[in-house]
Structures are given as C-alpha cells and as structure tokens.
Amino acid sequence: MTRPDATHPDSWSSDQVNVTRTGEDPRRWWGLVVIALAQLMVVLDATIVNIALPSAQQDLGMSDGNRQWVITAYTLAFGGLLLLGGRIADLVGRKRTFVIGLVGFAAASALGGAATGSGMLFAARALQGVFAAVLAPSALSLLTTTFTDPKERGKAFGIYGALAGSGSAIGFIVGGLLTEYLNWRWCLYVNVPIAVIAVFGALVLLHDRPGHAGARLDVPGVLLGCGGLVAIVYGFSEAQPRGWSDPLVVTLIAGGVLLLVAFVWWQARAPYPLLPLHIVKDRNRAGCFLTMGLAVIGMFGLFLFMTYYLQVVLAYSPVRTGLAFLPMTAAIIVGSTQISARLMNHVAPRVLMVPGMVLAASGMLILTRMTVDSSYTTEILPALLLMGLGMGLTFMPVFSTATAGVAPQDSGVTSATVNTSQQVGGSIGTALLNTIATTSSTAYVTAHLTDPSKRALIVKEGVVHGYTVAIWWAAGIMLLAGLIAGLMVTAKPPKQGAPAQAPVPESVA
C-alpha cells in the first residue's frame, strides 16, 4: 500500500514522474549553500529591522500607531501569499521562481533602504514580503528534490532547519550591529549583496525540471485562501492596538475564517487546486504543520519580549541585545545539525519533536521568574539555551517529515504550506502574546500604584509582570505543540537507501 500523494493524485499532470536517487554530483552541496543563504535572508528579514525600528521611526517621522506596519506589512504579504508562491513555483519551475524571488527581494530591499518617508518604507516592506512568498517555497522544494537519499537528506535538512530556526535570532544580532555602527538603512541594504551572490550561485549550481506550463492557476483559490490568511493575520495584528472586541478585529478574524472554510470547500472541487487537499489530509503532514505553527507562536513572542526586556528594562545597547541572543542561535544549530540530523534516520520524528517542545517550554518557564533586575548569566541564559536546543530538535524533523513522500509536482505548494504555518504562527504569536502582556501590565500598575513617588518602579515592574504572564501562555502553547506532535506525527524512521521522493510503503509485509 502506498501513500495517496506519492504518485499523481491531482490533475496537474497525467504523466508518471520517475524519481531517481540523489546523484553523485558534489556541486549539490554547494547548491545547498545557495539555498540556505536565500532562506536565511528571508527568515532573518522578519526580525532584522526590529532593533532598528526606533531609529527608523525617528528618521522618517513615523507615529507610534503607524510604526507597526514596518513589521506587519512584511509578515502580511509573506504569510498571505505563500500558497500562491508555492503553486507558481510548481507551474513555471522552481529554479526560475527562485531567481525571480531573489532579484525582486533585492530590489525591494534597496527601495526600503532609500525610503524618504514612512509610506515608501511600508510599501517596500510589503514588496519584500511578496517576493519572499515566491522565494521561500522555491528554496525548500529545491532542497526536497535535490536531496532524496535518506542519509544525505537528514544532513541537508539539519542545516536548513538550523537556519530556519535561528534566522530570527541572527536577525536581531545583525540588526543590532548595523544599527549601532552604520544606520538602520543598512538593515535593508544588506540583502542586496546576499541576493546577488545567491543569484549567481543558483544559475551555476541549481537544477530543476521544467514547470507545468499547460496548467492553469486556481484564481478563486488564490482569492479565497490568500484573502482569508491576510484577513486573519491582519486581524491579529490589529488586536493589540484596538483590542480583541473591536468590531474591525472581530470582523477581520471571522471573515478570514469564513474565507478559509470557503477555500477548503472550493479546493475539493477545483480542477487545478491551489492546495490539493491530499497534502493536508495526510496525518503526519498535518501534525507537522500544526506543530510548526504553535511552536513559532511561542518563539516569536519570546523574541518580542526579550528584545524590549533587554533594551528597556536592563538598558542594553542594540549590539549587546543582539549578542544576547547568540547562545540561543548556537543551541538551535547544535540541536538541528548535531542531534536531529544524526538521529533522524534511526528514530521516529516525534521522538525528537516531543522532547524538543518540552525543552523549549522548560526554557519558557524559567523566564516566568524574570524581575526588573534579573541576571543574564544565571537567569536568562539557561532559558535561552533550553529554548534554542528544543527548537533545533523540532524544526529539522518538521521540515523533513512534512515534505517527505510528496510527488515532485506538489513539492512547491507543500513547502509553501510549511512556511505559511511558520509565518502565520509568528504573526499570531506577536499579536496574541503582546495583547496579553499589555493587558496584564495595565492591571498590575492599576492595582499596585498606591504611592505616586514609586510610579517609575511600579511601571517597570508592571511591564515585566506582563511579559511573564504572556510567557506562561507561550509555555502552554509549546506544550500543546508537543502533544500534537506526539499524537499526530506517527511516521517511522526513513529507511536507509530508499529515495525519499519515491512512493513510500505504509507498511512492510
């Protein structure tokens, strides 16, 4: 018995796809460097401007209410258009869309760096998100079709998972260095040389089969799916300044849910579906999507709170704040490349994912004890190390399992769905946990402000209290992710010597 999506389960192509084992061309490892470089650029750009935001706000005269759009414009476009980007990659060829995404991302970055007003910067960030939505699924699907031997696939996904998990933290480090020693504009300009190197590398090193030029794009699916995701992400982003009961927030979230319900209904009937439902009906794949989305909710919330905690409460400089995340980045890389990649071919994915989420939640629980004068070395650092190690253990098997056994013509849209769960989870986490933190801080200050002479201290304590309450929620979400991984991801270890892209037997007789 074979997986239903191992051969052609939809109408994209009627010919049988012949999949071969990864070749002996050593250049494929240099191709991995190119793919990883592009993915790192996309992931870190979601956070690299965070530390630079105060400088950009002052330079361009942004209001406090509008400054959020520097972040939201990117995540909205990225998360909302990823499914479309994945299907375009399947249609016209992944190498072609990979190069187009790189060139467009570099151009949008240069436009943002040269911004003369807030509107120009917001538009450039949205344009970055659009091209990132084309680039990210192309990168992951190129990786999927380049490395099909299980042993090599484990190593490749270990490197990829480390970058996907640590990219956000690396963004804080690079953002701090560029902001302090150059200026905030270089947080955008830095993408240009990276993209140029990746384009030349892609043209020389990457190979791909032709796209399905004769197939048509599912326009109703694009409008329903992307519209629903954009509405939900936008609704969550507006919940922090407006409140959860605000009519606009309620309308956006409810409308987004309805659009997604209509999207699922249409995908079951569309002749050329944007997201073939067999991709998400697979139990293991659905478990990976949910695990990724929930894990990133907690991770993005942590980045947000720790950035403000270190800079505002402990008065760290931008560079010192960025460097404070370095041990977490190192732990993510160790967890992905030295633990997950080595064990992936010997143990079931959930044997890595469940302990990973428990470790990450344990790190969160340590942070719930933060005070206004906590020591970084004894109280913050251990938590960041546990968090990084847990994420490293989790990300690599999630990426590998979610894309295993997918027919090549569906690899782009499957990769896009993984990235969509990551981006949408990050957007929801930032909005949800920030709202919890703000509400808890306000309640704390109201209850404890009895002596006006101690107002500054009470306000600072209230801010930290809000962070710890939100981190409790994040820890619970991490544990939920671990539970889902344990119950839903039942895949067995990949077999030595069996191509990962070929039809995979469900059981051995």
Side-chain angles (χ1 to χ4, degrees), residues 41-419:
M41 181 180 68
V42 169
V43 174
L44 69 81
D45 223 72
T47 57
I48 193 172
V49 300
N50 281 32
I51 294 177
L53 188 53
S55 299
Q57 179 183 0
Q58 183 178 8
D59 192 17
L60 299 181
M62 284 181 272
S63 67
D64 290 345
N66 287 335
R67 65 185 179 187
Q68 63 160 323
W69 284 103
V70 176
I71 308 299
T72 307
Y74 181 80
T75 56
L76 270 176
F78 194 3
L81 296 174
L82 267 167
L83 284 176
L84 175 60
R87 195 41 107 184
I88 289 175
D90 285 333
L91 278 171
V92 304
R94 291 172 286 275
K95 179 177 176 179
R96 184 179 301 175
T97 53
F98 184 78
V99 172
I100 291 172
L102 284 169
V103 173
F105 198 90
S109 298
L111 179 66
T116 56
S118 58
M120 184 175 175
L121 180 58
F122 299 157
R125 289 287 288 168
L127 198 58
Q128 278 185 306
V130 170
F131 284 105
V134 174
L135 178 59
S138 301
L140 184 54
S141 55
L142 279 169
L143 181 64
T144 300
T145 54
T146 299
F147 295 92
T148 56
D149 182 85
K151 187 175 181 180
E152 291 189 344
R153 182 182 175 89
K155 294 179 181 178
F157 272 91
I159 296 171
Y160 185 90
L163 289 172
S166 63
S168 297
I170 294 173
F172 286 117
I173 298 170
V174 176
L177 291 169
L178 292 175
T179 301
E180 188 158 333
Y181 293 111
L182 294 172
N183 61 55
W184 68 267
R185 296 180 184 275
W186 280 96
C187 291
L188 295 164
Y189 285 144
V190 71
N191 293 318
V192 177
I194 295 176
V196 170
I197 294 172
V199 166
F200 281 108
L203 293 175
V204 173
L205 299 169
L206 298 181
H207 305 282
D208 189 26
R209 64 178 178 82
H212 297 278
R216 292 177 297 170
L217 196 63
D218 177 19
V219 176
V222 171
L223 296 176
L224 292 171
C226 296
L229 286 173
V230 169
I232 290 175
V233 174
Y234 183 32
F236 277 112
S237 70
E238 286 295 299
Q240 191 274 325
R242 294 174 177 270
W244 291 103
S245 60
D246 182 83
L248 177 62
V249 173
V250 173
T251 301
L252 283 169
I253 296 176
V257 171
L258 289 176
L259 285 173
L260 290 182
V261 170
F263 170 77
V264 173
W265 174 85
W266 171 251
Q267 292 307 286
R269 294 158 177 78
Y272 300 99
L274 180 66
L275 175 60
L277 293 184
H278 62 266
I279 290 176
V280 293
K281 284 182 178 178
D282 180 88
R283 176 173 179 165
N284 292 302
R285 204 165 290 127
C288 287
F289 295 154
L290 286 173
T291 301
M292 171 62 80
L294 291 170
V296 174
I297 285 177
M299 187 175 76
F300 269 56
L302 176 75
F303 288 147
L304 176 69
F305 300 137
M306 292 311 299
T307 299
Y308 278 93
Y309 176 77
L310 293 172
Q311 289 198 70
V312 177
V313 178
L314 299 187
Y316 280 22
S317 67
V319 169
R320 191 178 180 189
T321 299
L323 292 176
F325 285 102
L326 189 58
M328 179 179 179
T329 304
I332 291 175
I333 294 173
V334 169
S336 281
T337 62
Q338 301 304 311
I339 301 177
S340 282
R342 294 175 183 271
L343 296 178
M344 185 65 185
N345 291 323
H346 306 286
V347 300
R350 63 179 173 182
V351 174
L352 298 170
M353 294 162 66
V354 175
M357 286 292 90
V358 172
L359 279 176
S362 300
M364 289 282 194
L365 291 176
I366 293 175
L367 290 177
T368 61
R369 304 180 64 182
M370 285 192 312
T371 64
V372 294
D373 55 0
S374 290
S375 167
Y376 174 82
T377 304
T378 60
E379 297 175 69
I380 307 300
L381 179 59
L384 294 180
L385 289 174
L386 285 175
M387 181 80 176
L389 189 61
M391 288 308 225
L393 285 173
T394 303
F395 276 129
M396 184 268 180
V398 164
F399 281 121
S400 182
T401 305
T403 55
V406 179
Q409 76 276 7
D410 282 333
S411 63
V413 70
T414 304
S415 304
T417 308
V418 178
N419 281 282

Side-chain angles (χ1 to χ4, degrees), residues 436-481:
I436 293 172
T438 303
T439 304
S440 300
S441 295
T442 302
Y444 181 93
V445 172
T446 302
H448 292 79
L449 189 56
T450 56
D451 185 352
S453 65
K454 297 182 179 180
R455 179 177 178 82
L457 177 61
I458 296 299
V459 169
K460 184 179 287 190
E461 289 177 346
V463 169
V464 176
H465 173 76
Y467 293 165
T468 58
V469 171
I471 290 172
W472 272 108
W473 281 86
I477 293 171
M478 289 284 189
L479 291 175
L480 178 60

